[in-house]
Structures are given as C-alpha cells and as structure tokens.
Amino acid sequence: MLFKDRRFAGQVLAKELAAYANDPDVLVLGLPRGGVPVAFEVAKALNAPLDVLVVRKLGVPDQEELAMGAIASGGVRIVNKNIISQVKISDEVISRVAVQEERELERREQLYRPNRPLRDLQGRTVILVDDGLATGATMWAALVTVQKQQPAQIVIAVPVAAPETCQELETEVDEIVCISTPSPFHSVGLWYESFPQTTDEEVRNLLAKAAKNGEAIPLGM
C-alpha cells in the first residue's frame, strides 16, 4: 500500500483507532519530526490532545540511516546490540554519537515546548504515533519513556512498518496498529508517494494549531 503523504496516512490510521475517539483520558504523542503530521490527523479525528515526545536515532557513523540505538526525552537511551555487534561499534563511538544527538534533542525540546514539560501520562491512554517503523529504535526509546510514567494503556500506531518490528513491539504494549507491513521493507519513505523532510516550522505550526482551542482539537477543524 502506498500512502499519498503523511497527512493522508494519518487519516487512514485514525479510522483504525476510532474506538479511542472522544475519550478524555486519551493523549496522542507524535514522534518528531515526521510522526507529527500523522499524529495531528489522528488527534483531530479522535478529538484528543496532541503533544510530542522528542526522540533521536543514534545512527551508525557513515551509515546514519542504520540505527544502532536511540535516545528520548527524560534521559532514556537504548541500543541495538545486534547492530552494534555486526558493525563492531565501540562504546566510545556510541557515547560520542549520543552526545551529539542529545544536543539536537535538547534543541528540539526547547523549540517545540519551551519551558513546558511533557504532560503527565499516569493513568492515561497514550497513543504513540510515527510515520513508519524500520528497526523501531526510536519507538522503543519512546516506549521506555512512556512506561516510566505508568499510563493506563499504551497504543503504538503507524501507517507502515517492517513486519518483524511490529511483532517485536506488540508484546510490549496494549495494542499496536500497523496499517501496512510490507516485506521486504527496505525503508519508510519507499511506501509514500510524497515523503519530504518535515521541518521544525511545520511541527511548531501543527502543535500550535492543535492547541489553539484548548486541550483537544475540535472535530472538523
């Protein structure tokens, strides 16, 4: 299945999450940057508040698209031991990349939510949304961050994902929704007709639009 773009993918995804509509305990968290346009459409359709959970992939040097781990808000760091073993990456290299990505994570935190902490997730139904999952490294980091806050339920929702990644994650959450799980997978962008890089400005604009009328995005906005 090819998705026209991220916004369309979010609309398709929202239909699969209709059971969560108009529930005051639901919170949609988009993973910046590419997950936010998808999450915006999901939050709008569900009449739920939208926020971001900032995550950063730790790319293998000279192979940045290959994730050897990820970091997330709250000091979370996870590593992919299989990738690290295969590529023979030292602890020193991992630490150096992590320090670089932590700077970018902090920059985005200040840009997307200046002086505003992540919302309290305890007892809530949290829907984690991204534009797709390849290795799933950033989603794993987001999941660890959310689990620490003891939500009532965690749902992972993505338009497209590698089948093995969906299988690995589904045992860790209450529900996982992957619209399409093509094999071979190759990359997320391959399954979109239009897949430009999402900008900081777009993320900020979508968050502002979602918050304009209070906690929830009114239906039909």
Side-chain angles (χ1 to χ4, degrees), residues 13 22 38 48 63 65 70 74 84 94 96 103 116 126 144-145 154 161 171 204 214:
L13 191 58
N22 301 308
V38 183
Q63 300 180 64
E65 289 304 309
I84 290 170
I94 296 170
R96 185 174 71 244
R103 293 194 194 102
R116 180 173 63 81
V126 177
V144 171
T145 301
I154 302 176
T171 60
R204 285 165 55 89

Side-chain angles (χ1 to χ4, degrees), residues 4 16 23 29 49 63 70-71 78 87 89 99 108 128 136 141 152 156 214:
K4 178 182 176 182
E16 298 297 318
D23 184 337
L29 289 180
Q63 300 180 64
I71 57 174
I78 61 118
V87 187
I89 303 169
V99 168
R108 293 189 184 190
L128 286 166
I156 289 175

Side-chain angles (χ1 to χ4, degrees), residues 75-88:
V76 168
R77 182 197 295 187
I78 61 118
V79 294
N80 187 321
K81 293 181 180 179
N82 290 334
I83 295 295
I84 290 170
S85 176
Q86 290 171 17
V87 187
K88 296 181 172 57

Side-chain angles (χ1 to χ4, degrees), residues 22-189:
N22 301 308
D23 184 337
D25 291 328
V26 168
L27 172 65
V28 177
L29 289 180
L31 274 57
R33 291 183 289 203
V36 175
V38 183
F40 177 85
E41 296 299 330
V42 170
K44 180 168 68 171
L46 300 186
N47 195 31
L50 171 69
D51 206 340
V52 292
L53 177 53
V54 183
V55 292
R56 291 291 295 167
K57 178 175 62 180
L58 302 180
V60 173
D62 300 321
Q63 300 180 64
E64 281 76 14
E65 289 304 309
L66 180 60
M68 61 181 178
I71 57 174
S73 300
V76 168
R77 182 197 295 187
I78 61 118
V79 294
N80 187 321
K81 293 181 180 179
N82 290 334
I83 295 295
I84 290 170
S85 176
Q86 290 171 17
V87 187
K88 296 181 172 57
I89 303 169
S90 68
D91 291 343
E92 182 182 357
V93 170
I94 296 170
S95 296
R96 185 174 71 244
V97 173
V99 168
Q100 294 171 348
E101 294 301 340
E102 282 164 5
R103 293 194 194 102
E104 177 62 14
L105 186 144
E106 290 171 4
R107 184 192 73 82
R108 293 189 184 190
E109 283 276 10
Q110 287 301 311
L111 193 62
Y112 302 155
R113 63 152 67 84
N115 303 314
R116 180 173 63 81
L118 183 66
R119 297 169 192 249
D120 183 9
L121 307 181
Q122 186 172 10
R124 302 193 73 161
T125 295
V126 177
I127 303 178
L128 286 166
V129 179
D130 205 351
D131 54 11
L133 300 175
T135 65
T138 51
M139 185 60 78
W140 277 107
L143 180 58
V144 171
T145 301
V146 171
Q147 286 173 332
K148 286 183 174 183
Q149 291 206 36
Q150 300 179 318
Q153 295 185 81
I154 302 176
V155 179
I156 289 175
V158 293
V160 63
E164 61 273 15
T165 301
C166 270
Q167 291 169 6
E168 290 168 358
L169 284 164
E170 69 181 354
T171 60
E172 301 296 321
V173 295
D174 296 280
E175 184 179 4
I176 185 164
V177 178
C178 301
I179 300 295
S180 179
T181 53
S183 181
F185 184 77
H186 298 301
S187 68
V188 173

